[in-house]
Amino acid sequence: MDDLKAKYLGQIADAADESALETIRVTAVGKKGEVALKMRELGKMTPEERQVAGPALNALKDEINSAIVAKRAGLADAALDERLRTEWLDVTLPARQRGHGQGTMHPVSQVTEELTAIFAEMGFAVAEGPRIDTDWYNFDALNIPSHHPARAEMDTFYMSRADGDNRAPNVLRTHTSPVQIRTMEAKGAPLRIICPGGVYRADYDQTHTPMFHQVEGLALDRDISMANLKWTLEEFFSAFFEIDVKTRFRASHFPFTEPSAEVDIQCSWVDGQLRIGEGDGWMEVLGSGMVHPSVIAAGGIDPEEWQGFAFGMGIDRIAMLKYGIPDLRAFFDSDLRWLRHYGFASLDMPNLHGGLSR
Ligand code: DAH
């Protein structure tokens, strides 16, 4: 009995891990273990011998079991110590930079949000149309027939269609004006919309890129005049640049408006720096006019009953003016350094009460 005890307690003390301990448990005190075999021998003993051997074997079994439990706890503690020793955290290391992999809002997106907030306040809803459109929506419906010089001047990107279906969309829209027609068709009059979006022309220099952005405006009602147009635009520019901005309307010509006006905003050049809303210089920012009756009719609306104004303005251009960005081409280079410099906080949405400038 003493030999058994010495053998197993020794093995338990030396067990290196949980599984070695389990093997010992099975061979020592398991159902077919050595102690169990000894217990079976009790039957062959005399009652006197049994009275001594029985309790002694039970005591041995208990002792081995508690030695195993104690050793198991010891092994777990040692394992935890080992983990704590190897899995350490250096709390004195500098923290990881916040916002490092965080993107920014592109100036075009930012300015689109800003102008949408301003026009929304004046009751204009946002309308959208496809960037690949038909000749009809992009030109004919806007009073630009195929022989018209404006078609040639637009530097249009045409798409050739392999299937030869010439009623299918085939031009990258050269302006947002086709959205006027689509919205008139879909909604009828009265109407007050702005249509921001990308447009395309084959042109490339410091102030022109083959894809850029415009916002179209259209207001139709029974009694709308140039005066409403002027007020709306002056209101817009003052809200957008957050300073009283004078406007100048110059007579012009567009096929889709009659009369037509180009609009300049007041500006000055001081030390090579452009300042909007001061001085006696003028900067052209948009085209506008009273919607031509043929255009209203093309939109499925009776021009005898409804009239209105429209305008078209370059979003990239007013973004450059407001935020002092010198080169339009950089807008589309996806240079991360440029985006971090000119970009805006992504969750900081512009609105009239929270402020429009950043
Ligand atoms: N569609 C014109 C362009 O892209 C801009 C324009 C001028 C839009 C006058 C209008 C407008 O709605 O009335 O150059």
Side-chain angles (χ1 to χ4, degrees):
M1 202 82 84
D2 286 340
D3 288 349
L4 274 186
K5 178 173 159 179
K7 178 171 89 175
Y8 285 120
L9 292 188
Q11 286 184 5
I12 291 166
D14 294 343
D17 54 32
E18 177 73 25
S19 76
L21 203 56
E22 180 60 11
T23 312
I24 299 166
R25 192 190 64 78
V26 172
T27 41
V29 293
K31 268 197 198 117
K32 292 176 184 162
E34 202 166 1
V35 175
L37 294 179
K38 288 270 176 256
M39 284 191 170
R40 264 178 231 164
E41 290 170 18
L42 289 175
K44 296 177 217 152
M45 292 180 188
T46 65
E48 292 74 28
E49 286 173 326
R50 197 182 303 140
Q51 239 165 29
V52 181
L57 275 172
N58 272 323
L60 174 62
K61 188 179 168 189
D62 287 347
E63 200 169 348
I64 293 175
N65 270 325
S66 31
I68 288 174
V69 168
K71 178 68 179 181
R72 190 175 286 142
L75 284 174
D77 284 350
L80 182 59
D81 282 347
E82 175 66 9
R83 264 186 70 188
L84 290 175
R85 216 165 43 75
T86 52
E87 280 182 18
W88 53 275
L89 179 71
D90 183 353
V91 294
T92 66
L93 276 177
R96 203 173 292 155
Q97 285 230 326
R98 281 189 77 223
H100 202 67
Q102 193 172 305
T104 56
M105 285 280 279
H106 194 284
V108 171
S109 306
Q110 171 78 17
V111 165
T112 303
E113 292 295 336
E114 292 177 11
L115 62 86
T116 301
I118 299 168
F119 280 113
E121 196 79 357
M122 294 194 265
F124 287 76
V126 171
E128 290 184 303
R131 292 190 183 205
I132 305 174
D133 216 330
T134 61
D135 273 329
W136 192 78
Y137 281 109
N138 196 76
F139 295 120
D140 301 75
L142 291 162
N143 210 22
I144 315 174
S146 44
H147 61 265
H148 199 284
R151 279 212 193 187
E153 283 161 23
M154 287 263 201
D155 302 308
T156 311
F157 284 116
Y158 282 95
M159 318 209 2
S160 60
R161 295 202 49 104
D163 57 12
D165 179 357
N166 54 15
R167 284 161 311 166
N170 66 328
V171 294
L172 294 181
R173 69 179 181 195
T174 56
H175 48 183
T176 42
S177 305
V179 187
Q180 286 189 29
I181 308 294
R182 290 181 172 276
T183 314
M184 282 192 264
E185 284 179 339
K187 299 268 157 72
L191 204 56
R192 226 183 282 180
I193 51 157
I194 55 163
C195 328
V199 299
Y200 301 82
R201 287 179 206 178
D203 208 349
Y204 189 70
D205 61 34
Q206 190 172 343
T207 52
H208 297 90
T209 48
M211 194 276 297
F212 58 107
H213 300 85
Q214 287 189 334
V215 58
E216 193 79 14
L218 173 67
L220 288 183
D221 215 317
R222 291 195 163 85
D223 185 20
I224 286 193
S225 72
M226 287 291 270
N228 301 121
L229 169 67
K230 189 158 197 281
W231 181 86
T232 303
L233 292 177
E234 278 176 352
E235 202 67 14
F236 167 74
F237 286 120
S238 296
F240 182 73
F241 290 107
E242 292 180 296
I243 179 173
D244 261 334
V245 180
K246 281 210 190 75
T247 56
R248 183 171 78 171
F249 281 61
R250 268 182 300 105
S252 182
H253 176 262
F254 299 103
F256 26 86
T257 44
E258 185 58 40
S260 304
E262 279 174 304
V263 179
D264 306 335
I265 54 175
Q266 180 194 12
C267 70
S268 75
W269 287 96
V270 182
D271 302 328
Q273 249 214 329
L274 177 70
R275 301 245 175 83
I276 303 292
E278 58 179 63
D280 44 39
W282 296 99
M283 164 83 59
E284 185 198 322
V285 283
L286 61 80
S288 65
M290 297 304 292
V291 185
H292 196 289
S294 319
V295 174
I296 296 180
I301 293 173
D302 180 4
E304 297 293 328
E305 192 180 349
W306 304 97
Q307 56 181 319
F309 66 74
F311 60 85
M313 167 164 61
I315 294 181
D316 322 73
R317 189 171 170 79
I318 60 169
M320 289 169 80
L321 293 177
K322 181 167 180 178
Y323 291 109
I325 309 173
D327 192 328
L328 177 65
R329 291 169 295 195
F331 274 64
F332 309 106
D333 284 343
S334 303
D335 182 331
L336 284 179
R337 292 163 303 176
W338 188 91
L339 290 168
R340 281 194 195 111
H341 181 79
Y342 287 111
F344 297 84
S346 51
L347 296 176
D348 183 18
M349 290 305 231
N351 57 59
L352 290 180
H353 36 280
L356 290 165
S357 289
R358 292 293 180 269

